[in-house]
């Protein structure tokens, strides 16, 4: 997404006085660096792999240096992007011992194929050697390469719309079609829940869980905030990605490229939203219960969130995700 205070590049269109770019002759350019930076951060923070050695996940993105733009010259789209990335990862053995390290990518650009990416994984200097390093070097690096491929795919599919305009006195050019992206997981990851039309069944395996509560205030009315959570168009805007949201009781939702999915179990208009909610990497068919209670405070709305049934060890990750990608995303996008 664009930097706050600037226009979203998806809505910036260069026009002539007659609002056309005749025969796509002129050089039209869109700067998508802001959107790219935020999307790369979201994708990298979703990286998590599991193996016999334990679990490793990316916890922070400390460096995102680069730029990205799209150009239209005579009806031909040209994509430019060049990024240097550095992220921190946390590994936890089956006995609970934690190790920290970094992963760096120095050559993500339009000039390099994904297979040629230089992905460097290492432990922090004060950390002893651990089999978790091999897990990150193999499965972790593979997952990083996959999500960077997702970024390139989304860049080309999302922003190509509207860049090539109809030629003057000629037939309309066909709109680019976005192919449905398959979700690929490494062998060491936990498989996602099956996609079917039925309601999710309770998890047959008992696992250790935890709960947490959050409270946030929004400068808007309860009805507007309620609509923001259950309306597909609103969700797509504040997550900056495609989403499927059926805002009815029993309706299913999926967002952030399938990383989050669930079902609305109870809806009280403008007052309460209850849902079954899960990360893709959680044990198959395991859902947390999320309750959002909205209370009118005059010029603002207080949201109280209760989240129950989060797998043990996932509390901080889930809490941070709700704060960053839901609450902060809504405030920064809509100004609430």
């Amino acid at each position: 997404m664009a930097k706050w205070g600037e226009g979203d590049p998806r809505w910036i269109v260069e026009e002539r006085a007659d609002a056309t770019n005749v025969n796509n002759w002129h050089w039209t350019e869109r700067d998508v660096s802001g959107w790219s930076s935020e999307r790369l951060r979201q994708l990298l923070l979703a990286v998590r792999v599991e193996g016999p050695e334990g679990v490793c996940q990316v916890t922070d993105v400390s460096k995102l240096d680069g730029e990205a733009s799209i150009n239209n010259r005579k009806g031909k789209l040209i994509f430019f992007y060049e990024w240097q990335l550095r992220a921190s990862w946390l590994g936890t053995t089956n006995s609970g011992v934690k190790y920290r390290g970094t992963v760096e990518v120095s050559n993500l650009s339009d000039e390099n194929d994904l297979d040629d990416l230089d992905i460097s994984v290492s432990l922090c200097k004060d950390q002893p050697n651990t089999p978790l390093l091999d897990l990150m070097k193999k499965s972790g690096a593979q997952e990083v390469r996959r999500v960077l491929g997702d970024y390139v795919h989304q860049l080309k599919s999302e922003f190509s719309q509207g860049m090539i305009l109809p030629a003057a006195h000629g037939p309309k050019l066909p709109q680019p079609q976005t192919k449905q992206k398959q979700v690929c997981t490494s062998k060491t990851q936990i498989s996602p829940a099956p996609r079917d039309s039925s309601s999710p069944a309770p998890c047959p395996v008992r696992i250790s869980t935890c709960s947490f509560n959050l409270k946030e205030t929004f400068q808007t009315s309860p009805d507007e905030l309620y609509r923001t959570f259950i309306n597909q168009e609103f969700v797509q805007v504040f997550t900056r990605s495609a989403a499927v949201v059926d805002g009815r009781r029993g309706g299913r939702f999926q967002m952030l490229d399938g990383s989050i999915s669930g079902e609305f179990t109870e809806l009280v208009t403008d007052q309460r939203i209850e849902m079954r909610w899960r990360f893709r990497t959680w044990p198959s068919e395991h859902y947390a219960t999320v309750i959002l209670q909205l209370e009118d405070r005059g010029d603002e709305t207080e949201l109280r969130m209760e989240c129950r049934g989060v797998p043990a060890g996932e509390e901080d990750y889930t809490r941070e995700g709700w704060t960053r990608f839901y609450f902060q995303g809504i405030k920064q996008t809509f100004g609430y």
Side-chain angles (χ1 to χ4, degrees):
M1 62 186 161
K3 295 179 181 178
W4 306 118
E6 300 178 1
D8 187 325
R10 285 168 290 184
W11 296 97
I12 297 175
V13 181
E14 183 177 306
E15 297 179 336
R16 289 179 52 186
D18 59 357
T20 62
N21 180 7
V22 178
N23 295 324
N24 294 284
W25 181 265
H26 302 282
W27 184 285
T28 305
E29 180 175 342
R30 291 184 182 179
D31 180 5
V32 293
S33 300
W35 174 87
S36 294
S37 179
E38 185 65 21
R39 194 70 190 108
L40 284 167
R41 186 181 304 277
Q42 292 175 350
L43 290 167
L44 288 169
L45 287 174
V47 170
R48 183 179 186 274
V49 293
E50 183 173 346
E53 307 89 341
V55 178
C56 296
Q57 65 182 53
V58 172
T59 58
D60 179 62
V61 180
S62 58
K63 179 180 179 181
L64 273 173
D65 293 343
E67 59 183 353
S69 62
I70 306 175
N71 298 274
N72 172 15
R73 178 61 171 169
K74 294 184 178 180
K76 180 180 180 181
L77 290 181
I78 305 172
F79 296 86
F80 295 104
Y81 56 91
E82 185 173 6
W83 295 95
Q84 293 183 342
L85 319 169
R86 181 167 60 247
S88 300
W89 59 270
L90 174 67
T92 307
T93 65
N94 293 327
S95 60
V97 180
K98 298 184 183 298
Y99 297 84
R100 297 186 180 276
T102 59
V103 54
E104 297 190 51
V105 182
S106 60
N107 61 340
L108 175 61
S109 80
D110 55 276
E111 297 181 352
N112 297 320
D113 294 332
L114 288 174
D115 292 338
D116 297 328
L117 290 182
D118 182 12
I119 302 176
S120 175
V121 178
S122 61
L123 284 167
C124 294
K125 292 182 179 180
D126 59 345
Q127 301 288 294
N129 194 23
T130 169
L132 291 173
L133 178 59
D134 292 331
L135 175 64
M136 274 301 293
K137 283 186 174 181
K138 296 177 182 178
S139 301
Q142 178 183 348
E143 185 67 4
V144 168
R145 193 183 310 274
R146 183 189 71 80
V147 300
L148 294 181
D150 287 348
Y151 157 72
V152 174
H153 172 82
Q154 293 168 23
L155 173 69
K156 294 182 178 181
S157 62
E158 183 167 352
F159 287 96
S160 61
Q161 296 286 343
M163 283 292 291
I164 301 179
L165 303 178
H169 310 297
K172 293 184 178 181
L173 294 174
Q175 292 292 324
Q177 293 185 354
T178 303
K179 295 182 179 179
Q180 178 128 12
K181 176 169 59 66
Q182 290 183 332
V183 178
C184 301
T185 58
S186 64
K187 292 182 180 179
T188 55
Q189 285 184 302
I190 298 172
S191 300
R195 295 182 182 177
D196 55 36
S197 58
S198 61
S199 298
C203 179
V205 179
R206 295 180 63 85
I207 64 173
S208 178
T209 63
C210 58
S211 303
F212 66 87
N213 296 282
L214 293 173
K215 184 168 69 173
E216 195 72 38
T217 301
F218 295 85
Q219 303 297 318
T220 187
S221 61
D223 62 305
E224 288 184 338
L225 186 59
Y226 177 87
R227 185 168 64 249
T228 301
F229 281 100
I230 68 167
N231 181 281
Q232 178 169 307
E233 293 183 2
F234 280 73
V235 172
Q236 290 184 141
V237 170
F238 76 75
T239 61
R240 301 299 195 272
S241 63
V244 177
V245 181
D246 183 0
R248 300 174 296 175
R249 182 176 181 179
R252 305 295 297 275
F253 58 84
Q254 187 177 85
M255 61 189 74
L256 295 177
D257 301 315
S259 294
I260 294 172
S261 61
E263 174 189 0
F264 295 111
T265 56
E266 182 181 350
L267 295 173
V268 180
T269 304
D270 304 339
Q271 297 180 30
R272 178 185 173 94
I273 300 171
E274 184 171 333
M275 65 187 87
R276 304 183 71 192
W277 186 98
R278 64 174 272 110
F279 274 122
R280 179 173 57 194
T281 52
W282 285 1
S284 180
E285 294 296 339
H286 180 81
Y287 289 77
T289 297
V290 174
I291 301 173
L292 305 178
Q293 195 75 35
L294 312 181
E295 186 167 344
D296 192 350
R297 297 292 189 184
D299 293 335
E300 59 188 26
T301 299
E302 181 182 272
L303 182 150
R304 295 193 304 275
M305 172 188 171
E306 180 183 359
C307 186
R308 303 193 304 262
V310 176
E314 294 285 326
E315 177 184 350
D316 291 343
Y317 185 66
T318 306
R319 183 194 301 268
E320 179 184 0
W322 268 91
T323 301
R324 176 182 297 180
F325 298 121
Y326 278 90
F327 300 161
Q328 293 181 6
I330 290 172
K331 287 186 174 183
Q332 292 173 335
T333 302
F334 303 113
Y336 293 166

